[in-house]
Amino acid sequence: MKAIVPLRKRGDDHGPAAETLRKFPRRWFLIGTYRARYSAVSVAGRIRSACYAQYGPPGAFETRVEPFGDESGVYARYTGGAR
């Protein structure tokens, strides 16, 4: 399920990641990795609820958090619109 795409680096703008997701609807991409699982869960929630404006409207993206080595990976996909 993992696609080869550059990881979003910490502190970078989410714009390029959101653009990539919109170009490939319904395909999961790794957005970034986080040392603390709670940080990954927080970012995943912010993407789903469009707290980061690039992921609007709310509900247009799905997310999941999975182990990624010693860290937690945030995966997202564009669903094509709000539910």
Side-chain angles (χ1 to χ4, degrees), residues 51-68:
C51 285
Y52 301 128
Q54 300 89 335
Y55 296 104
F61 291 83
E62 293 179 338
T63 60
R64 68 179 197 256
V65 176
E66 293 184 3
F68 191 87

Side-chain angles (χ1 to χ4, degrees), residues 21 27-29 31 47 62-64 74-78:
L21 295 172
R27 201 162 154 202
W28 290 101
F29 286 93
I31 300 300
I47 290 171
E62 293 179 338
T63 60
R64 68 179 197 256
V74 174
Y75 294 83
R77 71 179 176 177
Y78 179 62

Side-chain angles (χ1 to χ4, degrees), residues 16 23 29-30 41-42 48 63 73 75 77 80:
K23 287 180 186 175
F29 286 93
L30 178 64
V41 170
S42 175
R48 279 192 317 273
T63 60
Y75 294 83
R77 71 179 176 177

